[in-house]
C-alpha cells in the first residue's frame, strides 16, 4: 500500500513557474514508476509526465515537453514536477500516481492539487 500526498499547486500568471511535490508513504517506493496526471474541467484525465524508479527514464506529453520536468529523490520518497512557462491551458487538477514496475496500471493515487494559470 502506498499513500500519496501532492502539494505545491496554486495560482500563477502565464509564463510563471510552479513546482509540485508528491510525498509517498508506505513500502518499496523505489519499485514504483511515478506518473503525473492532470484533469481540466470537462476533459479527460491525461498523463503529462512519468519517471521510472531510478529517474533514468522519463516520459512527457507533447503538450508539456520542454516546459515540465519530472524528478524524484528516493531517499525522501518524493517525486517532483517542475512546471515552467506555464500557459492558461495548463490549468487543471494535478495528480501523482504510482505504478508497480511491470504493470500497466497506476494503482495508487493522490488527492490532487489545483493549478490555475491566469492569462
Amino acid at each position: 500500500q502506498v499513500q500519496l500526498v501532492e502539494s505545491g499547486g496554486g495560482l500563477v500568471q502565464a509564463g510563471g513557474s510552479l513546482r509540485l511535490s508528491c510525498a509517498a508513504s508506505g513500502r518499496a517506493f523505489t519499485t514504483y514508476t511515478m506518473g503525473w496526471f492532470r484533469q481540466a474541467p470537462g476533459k479527460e484525465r491525461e498523463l503529462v509526465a512519468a519517471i521510472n524508479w531510478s529517474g533514468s527514464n522519463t516520459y512527457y506529453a507533447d503538450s508539456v515537453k520542454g516546459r515540465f520536468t519530472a524528478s524524484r529523490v528516493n531517499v525522501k520518497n518524493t517525486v517532483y514536477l517542475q512546471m515552467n512557462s506555464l500557459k492558461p491551458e495548463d490549468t487543471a487538477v494535478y495528480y501523482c500516481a504510482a505504478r508497480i514496475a511491470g504493470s500497466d496500471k497506476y494503482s495508487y493515487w493522490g488527492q490532487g492539487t489545483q493549478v490555475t494559470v491566469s492569462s
Side-chain angles (χ1 to χ4, degrees):
Q1 190 77 7
V2 175
Q3 292 79 43
L4 304 173
V5 179
E6 302 96 336
S7 61
L11 173 64
V12 64
Q13 288 189 331
S17 298
L18 283 174
R19 188 178 78 157
L20 305 183
S21 299
C22 174
S25 60
R27 303 175 68 178
F29 176 72
T30 56
T31 64
Y32 291 93
T33 289
M34 300 299 295
W36 285 99
F37 291 78
R38 69 185 180 188
Q39 187 165 23
K43 295 189 176 181
E44 292 189 355
R45 185 173 59 195
E46 63 170 336
L47 176 66
V48 296
I51 185 166
N52 74 330
W53 70 274
S54 67
S56 61
N57 286 321
T58 53
Y59 160 85
Y60 298 100
D62 287 344
S63 58
V64 307
K65 204 170 290 183
R67 300 188 299 120
F68 290 12
T69 303
S71 61
R72 63 192 294 164
V73 180
N74 286 338
V75 295
K76 294 185 176 181
N77 279 12
T78 302
V79 63
Y80 304 96
L81 185 67
Q82 178 67 43
M83 306 186 295
N84 298 329
S85 302
L86 283 161
K87 304 175 181 180
E89 51 264 43
D90 294 318
T91 295
V93 178
Y94 284 72
Y95 300 89
C96 70
R99 174 168 63 86
I100 298 173
S103 170
D104 61 355
K105 178 184 176 183
Y106 284 87
S107 300
Y108 304 102
W109 294 82
Q111 82 289 351
T113 186
Q114 176 70 47
V115 171
T116 303
V117 185
S118 63
S119 57

